[in-house]
Amino acid sequence: MQIGVPAETLADEKRVATVPDVVEKIIKLGFRVAIESGAGDAAHFSDDAYRAAGAEVLPDAATLWARSDIVLKVRPPSSEEVALMPEGRTLIGFIWPAQNPALMEQLAAKKATVLAIDCLPRTLSRAQKMDALTSTAGVSGYRAVIEAANAFGRFFNGQITAAGKVPPAKVFIAGAGVAGLAAIGTAANLGAIVRANDTRAEVADQVKSLGGEFVKVDYEEEGSGGGGYAKVMSEGFQAAQRQMYAEQARDADIIITTALIPGKPAPKLITAEMVQSMKPGSVIVDMAGEQGGNCELTVPGEAVVRHGVTIIGYTDLASRLARQSSTLYATNLLRLLEELCKAKDGVALVNMEDDAIRGLTVIKEGEVTWPAPPLKAAPKPAPKAAAAPVAEKKSAHGPGAPMSGKALTIVFAVLAVLFWAIGAYAPAAFLGHFTVFVLACFIGYMVVWNVTPALHTPLMSVTNAISSIIAIGALIQIAPPGAGTDGRPDTLILWLAFAALVLTGVNMFGGFAVTRRMLAMFRK
């Protein structure tokens, strides 16, 4: 199959649907690529660059439409372009079916298959690589700040110079979607004080992460409309929002509006009174100009001055960065072609069972399939099985069962007899040592047991450091006369005492070393 890329016919549209780097990758999928001569000139992609990438350059649009099985476009086709399309061909690009019902009828009459990139289900994670709306919005948000900086009368960042102090510009951004977030990041990087608002409260953290301040409307209402878009808010919320916008308009130097709801006219957020309250020399960039604008005084496609405020209503912000926009858009279409041609055999198959492809497909072989049915809800995860008990319940008489009162009495009785026997028959010296030993074990156990587990390591290191009592005991065994006939201790006792001294020395010095290292961790 041959893919054709015509030149865009809309006035001032500089973008092109594919670029030379992407042409090479499309050819690897098995397609042939043709492009109309001069289609990439405005985006600084020459015909020679396309030829070098393997594309065929055709002299005019009529030849290209006639010979192409699949046509890639940026803007929706005009009536004249639809007339050039043979029946049964495939068209991929921005269509906006809700705003262009007449175009949908013309394409259906041509028995075409139309994939509208603007209808991609954006909530599908696997569809993000094809999301041209996000790519375009990011470029537009960046360009909106550049246009504002061009029209603004001073620096964005604050400066202190020999000629005086320049305060930082105050930028307010209405709408923190993809375009709004791009504008926030750009304005903040230029040094401006950035504030932003959105009906979706969940974007507040994103605004802050980009260096902006989230301005909340004093009205509680959830603004998420699903699909990554905001919803139309209640009248009560809108009244509170207008009051907040009026306050921001009086304080801001630059306002950038991005509010759009698919299939509906742009909501009016900035009134003429708000514009009049702004400082002379302020700037408004209305990114919703193509759908009527968010400002009452916006003139779509133009920059006008009202009440001393420059109002920019350009509808081609993405096109003003044509090379960058074309590259991103071409990559999005490449990812779509990869989904349509998984076999890499140069044949595109529209799989209506695929949620992403089904959402994109607004006309299938002349049959209008828009709007797509709601996405199937993701299956709920199976409930986790109850955790198995750590240990099975023991029988009353089995191993591990609690000791009965009778058994406990017998154990204590046996221990009492044992201690009585030791006291009655053991030497007095042994009995004294044994008593100290038992008490030491009991007290040591109770002391360690009642210490927080996090302190066990420092406690044990200090305990090891002060355990020199063992060394003293070993020395006592060596110094006094032992049981030997020559006044010296027995050889076994001598070697045991020596081993005790060595091990105690290691224990002592190791304890002090560990304690010192742990204390050093808390020193600055």
Side-chain angles (χ1 to χ4, degrees):
M1 299 179 75
Q2 177 161 300
I3 292 177
V5 181
E8 297 297 321
T9 58
L10 189 69
D12 298 327
E13 180 56 71
K14 299 177 182 178
R15 290 174 292 175
V16 63
T18 196
V19 300
D21 287 344
V22 173
V23 166
E24 297 177 355
K25 298 173 183 177
I26 294 176
I27 292 173
K28 290 180 180 178
L29 293 176
F31 296 105
R32 291 175 288 112
V33 180
I35 188 163
E36 183 182 348
S37 179
D41 287 349
H44 305 291
F45 297 109
S46 66
D47 289 350
D48 290 338
Y50 284 105
R51 288 192 185 95
E56 180 184 6
V57 178
L58 298 179
D60 52 56
T63 305
L64 184 133
W65 282 91
R67 292 175 52 180
S68 299
D69 301 297
I70 301 172
V71 174
L72 306 182
K73 274 189 59 61
V74 179
R75 295 279 188 169
S78 63
S79 297
E80 293 76 12
E81 288 179 303
V82 175
L84 296 175
M85 178 189 292
E87 289 190 357
R89 303 302 169 87
T90 299
L91 173 66
I92 302 175
F94 285 102
I95 302 298
W96 306 108
Q99 290 95 320
N100 297 304
L103 174 61
M104 292 286 287
E105 292 179 5
Q106 288 178 318
L107 291 170
K110 287 284 187 175
K111 301 187 184 308
T113 296
V114 181
L115 278 67
I117 200 71
D118 48 276
C119 292
L120 179 75
R122 302 173 75 187
T123 55
L124 292 175
S125 58
R126 59 178 291 268
Q128 292 177 0
K129 61 185 179 181
M130 301 178 276
D131 190 358
L133 280 174
T134 295
S135 302
T136 303
V139 174
S140 298
Y142 172 86
R143 184 67 191 194
V145 177
I146 301 304
E147 294 292 341
N150 181 58
F152 191 48
R154 54 183 172 84
F155 303 134
F156 262 45
N157 63 321
Q159 296 186 16
I160 298 177
T161 70
K165 180 179 179 181
V166 180
K170 295 179 181 179
V171 179
F172 177 70
I173 296 172
V178 176
L181 292 173
I184 291 168
T186 305
N189 288 338
L190 289 175
I193 297 173
V194 184
R195 300 187 183 98
N197 168 261
D198 197 279
T199 58
R200 297 159 293 185
E202 64 267 20
V203 304
D205 290 338
Q206 300 176 40
V207 171
K208 294 175 184 176
S209 69
L210 291 170
E213 175 190 349
F214 187 78
V215 182
K216 192 174 184 299
V217 177
D218 189 17
Y219 194 97
E220 294 298 330
E221 183 177 349
E222 173 56 40
S224 180
Y229 297 98
K231 70 175 184 180
V232 178
M233 306 301 286
S234 67
E235 183 55 40
F237 182 93
Q238 292 180 35
Q241 186 183 54
R242 283 192 293 271
Q243 181 179 354
M244 183 270 289
Y245 282 160
E247 295 172 359
Q248 293 298 324
R250 288 191 293 269
D251 185 54
D253 298 304
I254 295 169
I255 295 178
I256 298 175
T257 64
T258 70
L260 279 175
I261 298 174
K264 299 181 182 295
K268 299 300 180 185
L269 305 179
I270 307 299
T271 63
E273 291 77 12
M274 295 180 194
V275 175
Q276 193 169 3
S277 71
M278 296 180 71
K279 293 170 284 193
S282 299
V283 178
I284 296 175
V285 180
D286 193 340
M287 296 183 62
E290 195 165 3
Q291 295 188 34
N294 296 136
C295 177
E296 287 184 347
L297 303 181
T298 296
V299 178
E302 298 182 19
V304 297
V305 178
R306 299 287 186 269
H307 307 294
V309 177
T310 302
I311 304 173
I312 299 173
Y314 296 150
T315 57
D316 60 345
L317 288 172
S319 181
R320 289 171 180 256
L321 286 171
R323 188 178 181 89
Q324 181 69 78
S325 299
S326 299
T327 301
L328 295 176
Y329 182 64
T331 302
N332 294 139
L333 295 188
L334 169 66
R335 302 306 173 206
L336 173 56
L337 291 172
E338 289 174 344
E339 292 295 318
L340 297 175
C341 183
K342 293 184 177 180
K344 297 183 179 181
D345 56 358
V347 177
L349 299 175
V350 178
N351 179 14
M352 299 296 275
E353 299 299 321
D354 185 314
D355 287 338
I357 303 302
R358 175 63 187 88
L360 285 167
T361 307
V362 294
I363 301 176
K364 177 69 183 299
E365 297 174 356
E367 179 185 354
V368 177
T369 58
W370 180 85
L375 295 176
K376 299 175 183 177
K380 295 182 178 180
K384 295 182 179 179
V390 176
E392 294 183 1
K393 189 176 180 180
K394 307 294 181 181
S395 63
H397 303 287
M403 187 177 293
S404 63
K406 183 177 180 180
L408 191 61
T409 302
I410 294 173
V411 169
F412 272 106
V414 171
L415 290 176
V417 171
L418 179 62
F419 280 117
W420 174 82
I422 292 174
Y425 297 102
F430 174 79
L431 187 60
H433 290 307
F434 182 73
T435 302
V436 172
F437 173 75
V438 171
L439 290 175
C441 290
F442 176 75
I443 294 172
Y445 173 79
M446 294 304 296
V447 168
V448 175
W449 181 263
N450 289 299
V451 172
T452 302
L455 298 177
H456 281 177
T457 299
L459 173 68
M460 293 307 297
S461 66
V462 176
T463 303
N464 292 343
I466 63 175
S467 61
S468 55
I469 187 68
I470 301 174
I472 295 174
L475 291 173
I476 291 176
Q477 292 298 326
I478 294 175
T485 56
D486 56 354
R488 297 177 60 190
D490 290 337
T491 303
L492 178 60
I493 294 176
L494 181 65
W495 283 109
L496 288 175
F498 177 76
L501 283 172
V502 173
L503 294 176
T504 302
V506 173
N507 212 22
M508 290 169 60
F509 289 108
F512 280 119
V514 171
T515 303
R516 184 174 180 180
R517 290 189 62 181
M518 294 192 66
L519 291 175
M521 293 171 59
F522 298 96
R523 293 195 183 105
K524 292 185 179 179

